[in-house]
Amino acid sequence: MKRRDFIAQFSMTVVAAGVAPACLSDIVPAMNKLPRWRGFNLLDFFSPDPAHRVQHTTDEHLKWMRDWGFDFIRLPIAYPYYLHIDRTKNISPEDVYHINDQAVEEIVRLVDKANQYGLHVSVNLHRAPGYCINAGFHEPFNLWKDEVAQQAFYFHWNMWARQFKDRSAKQVSFDLINEPAMREDMNDQHSPATALPGELYRKIIVGAAHAIWKENPSRIILADGNHVGNDIIPEIEDLNIAQSCRGYYPHAISHYKAPWANKDPEHMPVPVWPGQIGNQYFDRHKLEKYYQPWIQLVQKGIGVHCGECGCWNQTPHSVFLSWFGDVLDILTAAGIGYALWNFIGDFGVLNSGRSDVQYENWYGYQLDRQLLELLMKH
């Protein structure tokens, strides 16, 4: 479908914002409308440039996940990965519509392979046209301010909806955009991120949802919480759209010394749990308070999942496990599933590179057995 044809057809199909054609109650349990999916984020298509791909998920990896009792993967994708563009130049608004069919097929193959191992796949635009929480790529427009970016966003989701039109709700869901926030300087990693105006976020969610539901009215859709995934989205509670929280609170623990998340990582106070970190005291009670709005969503009959959680490898391992055990306890008690960021790498169960872990050799990988057992317990 050409860009102008999509925009013309799409403009005729969007209906009143309060109308949602999907019916989650037909396909998921009554308590949390989402299954308590448990698994990992896979970073095969995380980079905007295929030449910088750092992970290649294999059948062996998927088999391990399944055999360990997990049933879910989240697939964060940078949309330029599957574009046919000149990567020596800044991307243009028209380039956003140049889909590389071979790259799309590569993504579809991984989804199909995961499904064959009984793993549900949540396809996510980690970098969407006009927005990403991370810097490192020139965007041709701003998703929150430019209508042309919003139309491109709907186009991409309609394309993915057509690709997976015949996949069941048990196989595939869509996570619209990773960690939305308003940021004045999109290319400054440390520019303050504030919450989006709720009605603006609703408008964009509804537009993408209708671009998806016109292909498959039963597709499960998740919207990441406002303000970098931290805040629930009251403005869409009337829609049949689930919401995705994060398992990173407090950042003083989860992102200790992370250079992309802190202006002065080397001078951060050493985290403890529970206890005083800098000028703040953190404990399980504070965690429960943080998650209370999300638990209330579940009680209202709205699906909730924790799309990302975990801890970078500089936090002392004992502190990480103690804190993360409380996070998982709270989520589990509420019937909320989770996806660890990531499977292999700095946050993962394999090859995390921590200096204070007695790793187990697992078919050539370094396995954090304590972390794996904590996850399997929940």
Side-chain angles (χ1 to χ4, degrees):
M1 183 182 297
K2 294 183 181 298
R3 174 193 176 196
R4 62 177 180 273
D5 297 332
F6 169 81
I7 292 174
Q9 182 176 346
F10 177 80
S11 298
M12 295 172 63
T13 59
V14 173
V15 294
V19 177
C23 185
L24 297 181
S25 61
D26 291 340
I27 49 180
V28 293
M31 180 52 181
N32 186 346
K33 279 196 171 182
L34 291 181
R36 200 175 75 85
W37 292 313
R38 301 157 56 249
F40 305 90
N41 282 262
L42 299 183
L43 306 189
D44 295 63
F45 313 112
F46 181 69
S47 172
D49 187 346
H52 297 151
R53 180 173 175 177
V54 297
Q55 184 170 327
H56 291 77
T57 299
T58 68
D59 284 79
E60 199 171 41
H61 299 149
L62 298 170
K63 180 180 182 297
W64 295 341
M65 294 178 213
R66 180 199 64 190
D67 292 349
W68 286 335
F70 299 100
D71 59 4
F72 178 85
I73 63 172
R74 181 172 179 261
L75 200 59
I77 301 170
Y79 79 93
Y81 185 98
Y82 58 83
L83 295 182
H84 186 71
I85 55 177
D86 183 349
R87 298 182 187 276
T88 67
K89 301 177 181 178
N90 283 340
I91 190 172
S92 72
E94 288 299 323
D95 285 340
V96 171
Y97 291 89
H98 296 167
I99 304 296
N100 182 335
D101 291 337
Q102 288 185 332
V104 169
E105 290 170 5
E106 183 183 14
I107 295 170
V108 171
R109 281 197 299 272
L110 179 54
V111 174
D112 287 345
K113 186 184 295 186
N115 287 162
Q116 290 167 14
Y117 284 89
L119 301 169
H120 178 93
V121 180
S122 186
V123 177
N124 164 249
L125 286 186
H126 188 277
R127 178 174 293 278
Y131 178 75
C132 185
I133 192 60
N134 299 119
F137 181 83
H138 172 81
E139 285 297 333
F141 35 41
N142 187 315
L143 179 61
W144 315 124
K145 297 180 178 181
D146 301 325
E147 182 68 26
V148 64
Q150 293 161 19
Q151 293 296 333
F153 184 59
Y154 307 151
F155 172 87
H156 278 252
W157 273 120
N158 180 260
M159 184 274 293
W160 285 117
R162 285 184 282 112
Q163 288 292 330
F164 295 111
K165 184 173 183 174
D166 297 327
R167 305 308 194 280
S168 73
K170 290 183 178 180
Q171 294 173 302
V172 174
S173 61
F174 291 154
D175 181 348
L176 296 178
I177 185 164
N178 183 72
E179 297 179 0
M182 188 66 75
R183 189 174 258 163
E184 284 304 314
D185 187 348
M186 297 288 286
N187 294 310
D188 180 2
Q189 195 74 19
H190 302 301
S191 176
T194 59
L196 295 170
E199 288 305 316
L200 170 63
Y201 192 22
R202 176 190 172 98
K203 171 197 169 187
I204 294 170
I205 289 171
V206 168
H210 283 291
I212 293 165
W213 282 330
K214 67 198 286 286
E215 306 297 338
N216 184 333
S218 296
R219 181 65 60 219
I220 296 175
I221 296 175
L222 297 93
D224 281 13
N226 202 340
H227 199 191
V228 200
N230 287 290
D231 300 342
I232 65 168
I233 317 160
E235 294 82 5
I236 66 165
E237 288 183 14
D238 61 314
L239 306 178
N240 255 332
I241 293 178
Q243 300 192 32
S244 179
C245 64
R246 290 295 177 266
Y248 293 139
Y249 178 83
H251 270 226
I253 291 179
S254 66
H255 287 68
Y256 174 58
K257 287 192 174 184
W260 69 90
N262 303 282
K263 287 186 177 181
D264 189 13
E266 291 307 314
H267 294 91
M268 296 180 68
V270 178
V272 294
W273 185 262
Q276 191 83 15
I277 307 177
N279 60 2
Q280 294 190 70
Y281 184 86
F282 295 101
D283 60 9
R284 181 168 178 137
H285 176 71
K286 267 204 167 180
L287 263 184
E288 290 170 344
K289 184 176 180 181
Y290 172 80
Y291 284 110
Q292 192 57 35
W294 296 97
I295 295 169
Q296 289 172 347
L297 280 187
V298 174
Q299 293 167 345
K300 291 179 181 179
I302 296 168
V304 175
H305 186 259
C306 183
E308 291 183 23
C309 58
C311 190
W312 200 45
N313 62 11
Q314 296 304 300
T315 300
H317 196 238
S318 60
V319 174
F320 164 40
L321 294 181
S322 180
W323 160 77
F324 198 43
D326 281 343
V327 172
L328 293 177
D329 278 347
I330 293 167
L331 293 174
T332 300
I336 298 172
Y338 63 84
L340 184 74
W341 186 283
N342 43 3
F343 183 59
I344 302 172
D346 295 344
F347 285 69
V349 293
L350 297 173
N351 292 2
S352 61
R354 296 179 181 274
S355 61
D356 56 350
V357 172
Q358 188 70 35
Y359 287 105
E360 173 184 328
N361 187 296
W362 183 264
Y363 299 96
Y365 292 89
Q366 296 300 297
L367 170 64
D368 183 344
R369 174 64 70 174
Q370 286 181 282
L371 174 56
L372 176 60
E373 289 180 351
L374 179 63
L375 294 168
M376 292 172 68
K377 177 183 173 183
H378 296 88

